[in-house]
Amino acid sequence: MTTAAPVATAGTEPDAPARAAPRRLPAAFLVAGAALWLVFTAVHLAVSGRWWLWLAVDAVPPLAFVVVPLTLGVGAAVLRRRWRTVALLATAALLLGAGQSGINTRRWQGGDGVAPADAVRVFVWNTDYWDEGGQTEALYRVLREADADVYLLQEYWYARTAGPTETALERLRAEFPGFHVVAAGELVTVSRLPVLRQAPLSADGLPPAVADAGDEWRYKTLRTDLDVGGGRVLSTYNLHLPVQLSPDHGLFDRDFYRVLREQHAQREPQWRALAADVTANPHPVLLAGDLNTSPAMGDRRKLPDGLRDASYAMPSLYPASWADSPGWPQWWRLDWAFVSPGVRVHSYRFGAGQGVSDHRPQELVLSLPDR
């Protein structure tokens, strides 16, 4: 018995660090990962929307700003090593980046109550190059089934062939008799309500090569002032900002960065023209369309002052409207609707593209208070 105790003690003491050693390296990686993600989040908040090169980083799925720090925290808790350090770093990153995540924290507000009898139904949709590819009947079926008072439609043009021709607008007028059809470049607004004023916004400072490319590239916002009745006017801004990335070029392709710079040079004047017009507009405003801007992007700071995201009337916890490829999860919200304080939003949701478009349509019910 005098020799048994020392043997047992000698056998147990080295085992504790031996068992802990395999966990030290993963724990160190978690600490490093949490620190790097915190730095990335801080830099993203400072740089996004201010540096054209960061447009490539802006493509990160917004939900990553919640998923990554939570995953790091759970990993540290499982390992039970350095978890306090990781938890502190991950929490800081989560608090910094939560606003970029796209999670709709205002969904419980429920909108502005029951819609009155004179509420306006609005349907907003990027049609994915109109009916190019032979989806004409499916396109018009989606539009008819929406049964809206106002349609704000984008991508009224073809990507691979010339068109569409004037006959497409004739078909649209025939499908919606009694509606007013306003078209400028790739933007089409169809309204049952009388149109008091129509104007595509001209953006100063566009690059010459882009400015000469035609109305589809020149005009990215179409304003129409609509007579809602009772002396009330609603200004709708039908919007489609240029996409910031080209899927035809990879990160190691020099043209990838050329396209980034060129698209940034076209986006910036459009943002400025939009902000200037909305700021000077005395009427209540609905600004809606494909902004090619995700919740993670700092470009949202360039929106006109005083507008609010209509998602407070949307039941979805994570509203998303676009996927990178058919069948893939929709991680990005690129389609938005914003209203001025004089507009009440009673309901707002993303519908289904029904195989016609890679974008989900936006469906809103809104009203203006009596004068």
Side-chain angles (χ1 to χ4, degrees):
M1 293 185 66
T2 57
T3 58
V7 171
T9 303
T12 56
E13 288 180 356
D15 283 347
R19 287 194 299 269
R23 293 186 295 178
R24 287 176 179 168
L25 189 58
F29 276 123
L30 285 174
V31 172
L36 288 173
W37 186 257
L38 176 58
V39 171
F40 167 78
T41 303
V43 172
H44 178 79
L45 289 173
V47 173
S48 179
R50 296 186 173 94
W51 185 27
W52 66 269
L53 189 59
W54 204 261
L55 284 171
V57 183
D58 282 335
V60 62
L63 202 56
F65 287 93
V66 168
V67 172
V68 171
L70 288 180
T71 301
L72 290 166
V74 170
V78 170
L79 287 176
R80 292 187 295 179
R81 289 190 63 85
R82 308 290 297 277
W83 68 268
R84 290 186 178 85
T85 302
V86 175
L88 181 62
L89 294 170
T91 300
L94 182 63
L95 293 175
L96 272 180
Q100 315 299 113
S101 69
I103 293 177
N104 184 18
T105 57
R106 302 188 303 160
R107 63 184 294 266
W108 291 278
Q109 294 183 22
D112 291 316
V114 178
D118 63 350
V120 180
R121 297 175 57 87
V122 183
F123 187 82
V124 189
W125 193 27
N126 180 326
T127 61
D128 193 16
Y129 299 111
W130 206 247
D131 62 344
E132 187 177 35
Q135 68 268 32
T136 304
E137 299 309 317
L139 168 74
Y140 285 104
R141 183 174 63 252
V142 172
L143 296 179
R144 287 193 303 267
E145 291 176 354
D147 191 26
D149 300 305
V150 179
Y151 296 81
L152 306 181
L153 308 175
Q154 302 95 46
E155 281 196 6
Y156 174 68
W157 66 313
Y158 292 166
R160 298 177 296 276
T161 57
T165 65
E166 181 64 25
T167 57
L169 288 181
E170 294 173 0
R171 169 73 185 270
L172 197 56
R173 294 186 183 99
E175 291 282 350
F176 295 94
F179 280 63
H180 306 268
V181 177
V182 180
E186 59 142 320
L187 305 168
V188 178
T189 296
V190 183
S191 174
R192 180 184 58 79
L193 305 174
V195 177
L196 303 176
R197 180 177 184 265
Q198 59 190 62
L201 301 191
S202 296
D204 295 330
L206 286 174
V210 175
D212 295 338
D215 287 349
E216 291 82 5
W217 288 99
R218 182 178 297 111
Y219 298 128
K220 292 301 183 182
T221 306
L222 173 60
R223 171 181 168 178
T224 53
D225 292 354
L226 307 179
D227 184 356
V228 182
R232 298 168 299 172
V233 177
L234 173 67
S235 291
T236 64
Y237 289 82
N238 184 358
L239 181 66
H240 185 196
L241 284 177
V243 66
Q244 64 270 39
L245 298 174
S246 170
D248 300 327
H249 306 290
L251 286 172
F252 300 104
D253 187 340
R254 183 171 55 185
D255 286 338
F256 177 86
Y257 301 96
R258 174 186 59 79
V259 171
L260 270 185
R261 185 187 290 272
E262 290 177 352
Q263 295 302 91
H264 174 76
Q266 193 192 4
R267 287 169 63 93
E268 291 302 297
Q270 301 292 349
W271 281 118
R272 292 194 296 268
L274 176 66
D277 197 271
V278 171
T279 300
N281 190 344
H283 304 303
V285 164
L286 166 66
L287 186 157
D290 175 8
L291 274 64
N292 273 311
T293 302
S294 82
M297 293 176 63
D299 275 356
R300 289 186 298 154
R301 292 190 294 263
K302 300 167 187 175
L303 283 163
D305 293 336
L307 299 183
R308 67 186 189 279
D309 182 4
S311 62
Y312 70 92
M314 176 180 278
S316 174
L317 181 61
Y318 186 73
S321 64
W322 182 82
D324 184 48
S325 300
W328 284 69
Q330 292 177 322
W331 296 119
W332 290 268
R333 180 187 182 186
L334 303 182
D335 302 87
W336 299 79
F338 295 90
V339 295
S340 62
V343 180
R344 298 178 299 201
V345 183
H346 304 283
S347 68
Y348 177 30
R349 74 183 188 96
F350 286 134
Q354 300 185 19
V356 179
S357 174
D358 55 348
H359 288 258
R360 298 173 65 187
Q362 304 179 78
E363 302 176 30
L364 301 100
V365 177
L366 50 84
S367 67
L368 301 182
D370 295 333
R371 297 190 66 175

